[in-house]
Amino acid sequence: MGKETVIGIVGKPSSGKSTTLNALTDANAKVGAFPFTTIDPNKATGYLEVECACLRFGKTADCKPNYGYCRDGKRGVPVMLLDVAGLVPNAHLGRGLGNKFLSDLTEADCLLHIVDVSGTTDAEGKETRGYDPLKDIEWLQDEIFRWILGNLTEKWGSVVRRHIATKSTALETLRQQLGGYYANKQLIGKALDTIPGLPPLQDWDNEMVEKVVKAFMSVKFPTVLALNKLDHPDADKNVSKIMLKHPELKCVLTSSLTEVLLRKLAAQNFIKYDLGTEFVDTAEDLPDAGLRELDEKLQNRIENIRDLVLYRFGSTGVVQLLQAAADVLDLVPVFPARNINSFTGTSGSAVFRDCVLVKRGLSVISVARRIMGDVTIAAIEGVGGTRVGEEDTVDVGKNDILTFKLVPGGH
């Protein structure tokens, strides 16, 4: 089995990080047991919403996932979230829980950085007014950069000597140096490919080493910014400033607090709330839905939420956060089915019981290995029983519903 995709969630104290985590992990669902073997105290299961294959075949009524949920063709696929704690400036010097923070980080395949764009909390998370949230983004990136750079350059002399003595390639030498960050050869190769005219490793000056570390960071820790507390009056100008300064980073505008409140009210039957959308209905809007009456205070809060968040931005942004992470990681859903004609599993009439997230463009045989482990596969079939070649690749709507036929009795 390949390593699970891990989405790291970082943010200074009071940025809204815990609220965002709560919103991502609840999904009102608590459905299906966890597919993950180990859940550390700082790990949780989030749900990435994708379009379920049941929609294509008009089988939404029969769709019952083993893990996660499916609501009218919106499929919540479990993903592993890592709550990276102890974020303070100068972590790379071991300040605070610095080293733990940085080593926890290495397990992440991408980062969700929760940024308080209201400017009402300073670098340490204490209350203030007019703080520039651009600083939070820059020092987080800088912190990771200095840490990796420090680890690499502290023994650079001997790295270079060994590199020359063993006639290694730059890729091989860096794999030994950067392998501790859960980085494989492919990842490091991808980083090196982004640097045009790369000289031989023994000729790298400090500037070139820094360039290599930055390139490695951008493939190892692609980052999505959650620009949180967007309903604060100071948020607008900070958001534009951040987007101008960092056009390369994917930004999602969020109000985690609003999301948590809406889910709570929905669970208590005060409102009907369609997750990830701007649609919130009260007893007044749906007289026959059996919703509880709101008092004036709550009614006003809902009005404010509609005006300041939902109608302005289209949603609270929380559901979109994981979708942005999946885009950055280029993940697509694949639905393995035991029976390729009925799409059912080993027993019962429920369809599309399983869904795995894999990198777009992965070969069908790699997908098979990830799902089945090391067994001998006789044939791979797609919808309608058509044969699919081992080297064919997967994408949304392409080779994404598969069945794997095993050699009888053979392992």
Side-chain angles (χ1 to χ4, degrees):
M1 281 293 280
K3 171 179 153 321
E4 286 300 341
T5 297
V6 176
I7 297 175
I9 300 188
V10 296
K12 68 184 184 190
S14 304
S15 59
K17 179 169 135 238
S18 336
T19 316
T20 305
L21 257 162
N22 287 343
L24 291 174
T25 51
D26 144 57
N28 292 328
K30 290 292 173 279
V31 267
F34 297 130
F36 310 122
T37 38
T38 52
I39 289 275
D40 301 336
N42 61 341
K43 289 212 176 111
T45 302
Y47 298 91
L48 167 69
E49 285 207 345
V50 299
E51 185 174 293
C52 186
C54 68
L55 260 186
R56 258 180 262 172
F57 299 95
K59 287 182 180 284
T60 47
D62 301 322
C63 191
K64 302 206 171 29
N66 282 323
Y67 304 115
Y69 57 88
C70 181
R71 300 191 190 107
D72 305 323
K74 271 190 193 167
R75 176 97 172 212
V77 186
V79 286
M80 180 84 83
L81 303 179
L82 173 73
D83 178 3
V84 184
L87 180 63
V88 290
N90 290 325
H92 70 279
L93 301 175
R95 189 176 153 231
L97 294 165
N99 289 333
K100 179 169 175 12
F101 157 68
L102 290 162
S103 58
D104 276 352
L105 202 64
T106 56
E107 213 186 323
D109 297 294
C110 93
L111 300 180
L112 286 184
H113 184 184
I114 316 298
V115 180
D116 172 0
V117 286
S118 69
T120 54
T121 49
D122 67 12
E124 309 276 336
K126 297 188 183 55
E127 256 184 76
T128 181
R129 192 70 207 265
Y131 174 79
D132 182 357
L134 200 55
K135 292 184 191 154
D136 293 341
I137 297 163
E138 320 230 292
W139 80 247
L140 175 76
Q141 299 279 334
D142 194 49
E143 218 42 69
I144 300 170
F145 169 71
R146 283 169 191 273
W147 178 57
I148 297 174
L149 184 69
N151 289 344
L152 191 59
T153 50
E154 95 189 319
K155 36 186 196 309
W156 189 244
S158 60
V159 168
V160 172
R161 282 195 296 278
R162 192 160 98 236
H163 174 78
I164 295 169
T166 54
K167 297 190 169 58
S168 299
T169 61
L171 184 60
E172 197 37 59
T173 295
L174 283 177
R175 197 193 63 77
Q176 288 171 351
Q177 296 309 312
L178 301 173
Y181 303 99
Y182 288 86
N184 57 20
K185 228 167 159 162
Q186 232 175 332
L187 197 82
I188 295 167
K190 197 172 141 188
L192 292 179
D193 288 345
T194 62
I195 303 172
L198 189 69
L201 182 129
Q202 57 268 34
D203 302 336
W204 292 359
D205 57 7
N206 290 350
E207 204 178 321
M208 188 46 84
V209 174
E210 289 185 9
K211 221 180 204 166
V212 167
V213 169
K214 286 206 161 115
F216 172 66
M217 258 176 77
S218 65
V219 296
K220 171 66 187 116
F221 298 117
T223 300
V224 173
L225 298 178
L227 304 180
N228 195 35
K229 306 189 190 176
L230 60 81
D231 40 353
H232 188 279
D234 294 352
D236 277 1
K237 64 172 201 292
N238 288 329
V239 167
S240 351
K241 199 156 116 182
I242 289 166
M243 286 178 160
L244 276 172
K245 187 78 201 277
H246 290 288
E248 81 288 356
L249 292 177
K250 210 177 183 80
C251 297
V252 179
L253 298 170
T254 60
S255 175
S256 308
L257 212 54
T258 304
E259 178 72 9
V260 167
L261 177 69
L262 289 175
R263 288 186 183 200
K264 207 156 106 191
L265 292 175
Q268 294 167 353
N269 201 32
F270 280 113
I271 59 171
K272 185 175 170 301
Y273 170 45
D274 193 359
L275 291 191
T277 72
E278 66 198 76
F279 302 115
V280 169
D281 292 305
T282 63
E284 212 176 21
D285 309 307
L286 300 171
D288 305 329
L291 292 170
R292 292 162 65 185
E293 289 292 331
L294 295 169
D295 61 22
E296 199 182 341
K297 203 172 135 202
L298 267 179
Q299 186 70 45
N300 288 338
R301 278 199 81 169
I302 298 282
E303 282 313 311
N304 276 335
I305 285 173
R306 281 175 172 155
D307 294 343
L308 294 173
V309 179
L310 299 178
Y311 295 160
R312 267 186 74 193
F313 301 100
S315 76
T316 66
V318 173
V319 169
Q320 286 74 10
L321 260 185
L322 291 183
Q323 288 168 336
D327 284 350
V328 163
L329 289 167
D330 220 9
L331 296 177
V332 297
V334 171
F335 302 87
R338 189 54 68 93
N339 182 329
I340 202 69
N341 300 308
S342 64
F343 310 120
T344 50
T346 32
S347 62
S349 60
V351 298
F352 299 116
R353 300 300 305 266
D354 290 302
C355 177
V356 291
L357 298 167
V358 301
K359 269 226 184 307
R360 182 194 310 275
L362 198 62
S363 69
V364 168
I365 189 69
S366 310
V367 175
R369 293 262 168 279
R370 234 199 90 175
I371 295 167
M372 312 292 292
D374 221 1
V375 291
T376 313
I377 290 171
I380 302 171
E381 292 177 1
V383 176
T386 49
R387 288 291 289 261
V388 178
E390 295 197 343
E391 293 309 317
D392 282 0
T393 58
V394 300
D395 205 331
V396 175
K398 174 185 164 223
N399 297 329
D400 62 345
I401 300 171
L402 296 167
T403 191
F404 307 110
K405 308 255 178 204
L406 300 185
V407 172
H411 268 285

